[in-house]
C-alpha cells in the first residue's frame, strides 16, 4: 500500500527551509554591516592621517617659505618703564640685505590703536630704534622697507600683557606675625624685595611699606638696602625688619600692608601684599597673603 505524506508535513518543510534561509540572510547582513563599518572606520583613520600629514607638510613648507622670504635674520626687543607712566620699547634687527637709500622703519601699534613708524639707525645691516609708548597690554611690531620702486613689510612680534613684563624683575617675600593685646595690635616680621633686573635706571632708589586702614595711613616704614649679600651684577636687595610695631585700629575695617617702590627713572610699582581682618569685636585674624606680585602705578 503506497504511503502518502500529509500536506501539512510539506508545509512544515517549506517553513523550516524559509526560516533557515532567513536566519542565514540576517547573519550575512549583520556580518556585511559590521565589515562596512570597519571599512568606514579604517578609511576615516587613513583620511585623518593623510589630512594631518598634509597639514604638517603645509606648515613645514610655510615655515620654510617664511624663512626664505623674511627680511631679517633675527629680531630682539626689550621693555622697560619710562617716566610719567610710559613704556620704553627698544628694538634691534639684522637685515638680510639693505640697499643704500632705502628707508627702514619699525611699525609699532599699541593696543590696536595708532601705528607709529619709528625711524631706525642702520650700521652694517643692523637696525636699532627706541620708542616711548603709553602703558598698554598688547604691542604689535612690524618692519617696513621703502625704496624708489616698492615697499616691503613684515610682522616681527606681538607682545602680550606688556605691563607684566615690566614688573617681572621684582620679587617680594613678606613675613608677618600679629599679636593682639586688648584692642592694640603688635606687628613683627620682615619684608624682602629683590630687584633682579639689569638696567641702571631700573635700580630702586625708594622702597617703603605702607600700613593703611580705609583711607587712614597708620604707619609708613622705609626699607634699607642690603649691601652684604653676594648678588649678581645689577641685582639689589632691599630689606625691612620690624618688631612689635604698635597699631591702633579704628573700627573693624581690614588693615592692608602695601609695598611701594620707585626706580631711578621715576617709575613707581606697588604690591598690596597682605591683609589683617578684624571681626565685629575687633579681634584680629592671622594675616592673609593677597598678592606678592608687583603692578605698575600708572597714575
Amino acid at each position: 500500500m503506497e504511503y502518502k505524506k500529509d500536506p501539512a508535513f510539506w508545509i512544515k518543510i517549506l517553513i523550516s527551509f524559509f526560516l533557515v534561509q532567513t536566519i542565514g540572510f540576517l547573519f550575512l547582513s549583520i556580518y556585511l554591516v559590521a565589515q562596512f563599518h570597519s571599512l568606514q572606520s579604517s578609511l576615516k583613520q587613513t583620511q585623518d592621517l593623510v589630512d594631518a600629514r598634509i597639514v604638517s607638510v603645509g606648515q613645514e613648507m610655510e615655515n620654510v617659505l617664511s624663512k626664505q622670504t623674511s627680511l631679517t635674520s633675527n629680531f630682539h626687543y626689550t621693555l622697560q618703564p619710562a617716566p610719567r607712566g610710559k613704556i620704553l620699547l627698544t628694538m634691534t634687527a639684522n637685515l638680510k640685505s639693505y640697499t643704500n637709500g632705502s628707508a627702514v622703519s619699525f611699525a609699532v601699534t599699541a593696543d590696536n590703536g595708532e601705528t607709529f613708524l619709528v625711524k631706525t639707525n642702520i650700521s652694517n645691516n643692523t637696525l636699532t630704534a627706541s620708542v616711548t609708548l603709553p602703558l598698554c597690554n598688547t604691542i604689535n611690531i612690524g618692519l617696513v622697507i621703502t625704496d624708489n620702486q616698492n615697499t616691503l613689510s613684515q610682522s616681527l612680534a606681538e607682545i602680550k600683557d606688556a605691563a607684566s613684563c615690566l614688573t617681572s624683575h621684582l620679587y617680594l617675600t613678606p613675613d608677618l606675625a600679629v599679636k593682639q593685646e586688648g584692642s592694640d595690635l603688635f606687628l613683627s616680621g620682615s619684608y624682602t624685595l629683590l630687584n633682579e633686573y639689569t638696567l641702571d635706571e631700573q635700580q630702586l632708589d625708594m622702597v617703603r611699606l605702607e600700613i593703611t586702614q580705609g583711607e587712614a595711613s597708620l604707619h609708613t616704614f622705609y626699607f634699607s638696602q642690603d649691601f652684604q649679600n653676594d648678588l649678581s651684577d645689577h641685582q639689589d636687595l632691599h630689606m625691612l625688619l620690624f618688631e612689635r610695631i604698635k597699631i591702633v585700629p579704628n573700627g573693624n575695617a581690614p588693615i592692608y600692608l602695601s609695598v611701594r617702590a620707585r626706580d631711578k627713572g621715576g617709575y613707581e610699582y606697588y604690591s598690596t601684599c597682605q591683609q589683617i581682618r578684624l571681626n565685629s569685636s575687633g579681634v584680629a585674624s592671622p594675616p592673609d597673603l593677597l598678592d606678592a606680585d608687583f603692578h605698575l602705578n600708572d597714575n
Side-chain angles (χ1 to χ4, degrees):
M1 183 176 71
E2 184 178 358
Y3 178 74
K4 292 185 179 180
K5 297 219 179 255
D6 186 5
F9 172 78
W10 296 109
I11 293 173
K12 290 179 181 179
I13 292 295
L14 289 173
I15 292 173
S16 299
F17 174 77
F18 284 120
L19 284 175
V20 170
Q21 292 289 337
T22 302
I23 291 172
F25 178 75
L26 287 174
F27 277 110
L28 179 61
S29 299
I30 292 171
Y31 173 77
L32 291 175
V33 169
Q35 290 293 101
F36 177 73
H37 286 307
S38 176
L39 179 61
Q40 274 191 322
S41 178
S42 297
L43 288 173
K44 186 177 185 307
Q45 291 178 358
T46 302
Q47 185 64 45
D48 289 343
L49 290 173
V50 171
D51 290 345
R53 182 56 185 159
I54 290 173
V55 170
S56 176
V57 171
Q59 289 175 340
E60 291 173 4
M61 293 179 63
E62 183 178 350
N63 292 336
V64 171
L65 291 173
S66 176
K67 291 180 180 179
Q68 289 178 346
T69 59
S70 175
L71 302 174
T72 63
S73 57
N74 58 64
F75 169 72
H76 303 283
Y77 68 85
T78 60
L79 286 174
Q80 65 184 94
R84 297 181 296 279
K86 304 290 185 180
I87 296 174
L88 179 62
L89 170 64
T90 302
M91 300 161 286
T92 303
N94 288 97
L95 288 178
K96 287 184 175 180
S97 63
Y98 172 70
T99 303
N100 288 333
S102 297
V104 185
S105 302
F106 288 110
V108 179
T109 305
D111 283 343
N112 297 320
E114 180 183 358
T115 297
F116 303 90
L117 289 178
V118 185
K119 292 183 179 180
T120 62
N121 296 318
I122 303 176
S123 177
N124 296 325
N125 286 12
T126 299
L127 311 176
T128 58
S130 297
V131 61
T132 302
L133 303 170
L135 184 63
C136 54
N137 291 318
T138 303
I139 302 172
N140 287 283
I141 305 172
L143 183 68
V144 180
I145 302 178
T146 303
D147 58 23
N148 293 329
Q149 296 180 344
N150 51 37
T151 297
L152 300 176
S153 62
Q154 178 185 337
S155 177
L156 296 177
E158 181 182 40
I159 307 171
K160 294 184 178 180
D161 201 8
S164 295
C165 298
L166 296 173
T167 60
S168 60
H169 58 290
L170 300 175
Y171 297 92
L172 178 65
T173 305
D175 183 18
L176 179 67
V178 180
K179 184 177 181 181
Q180 187 162 11
E181 296 179 6
S183 59
D184 298 333
L185 304 180
F186 292 88
L187 310 185
S188 301
S190 65
Y191 281 74
T192 304
L193 175 59
L194 174 66
N195 179 23
E196 196 181 47
Y197 244 13
T198 53
L199 303 172
D200 288 340
E201 57 266 30
Q202 286 188 265
Q203 298 305 299
L204 304 179
D205 64 359
M206 183 281 295
V207 186
R208 69 177 182 265
L209 173 67
E210 299 177 347
I211 304 176
T212 59
Q213 185 181 32
E215 298 296 325
S217 175
L218 303 182
H219 276 287
T220 298
F221 302 99
Y222 284 85
F223 286 55
S224 62
Q225 190 168 7
D226 186 352
F227 296 98
Q228 305 302 317
N229 277 275
D230 185 16
L231 300 175
S232 301
D233 290 343
H234 299 296
Q235 290 186 344
D236 56 339
L237 189 67
H238 301 260
M239 300 183 67
L240 176 63
L241 304 175
F242 52 93
E243 185 174 359
R244 287 186 62 81
I245 299 299
K246 182 178 178 180
I247 298 294
V248 181
N250 182 14
N252 58 2
I255 296 172
Y256 291 97
L257 292 94
S258 302
V259 173
R260 293 188 179 271
R262 183 179 64 240
D263 63 26
K264 292 180 180 178
Y267 212 96
E268 292 193 354
Y269 312 83
Y270 72 92
S271 172
T272 303
C273 49
Q274 288 187 289
Q275 172 187 248
I276 302 171
R277 291 176 296 173
L278 303 171
N279 65 17
S280 58
S281 301
V283 178
S285 299
D288 298 321
L289 178 64
L290 298 179
D291 183 7
D293 293 332
F294 277 85
H295 305 276
L296 292 173
N297 186 356
D298 55 354
N299 294 332

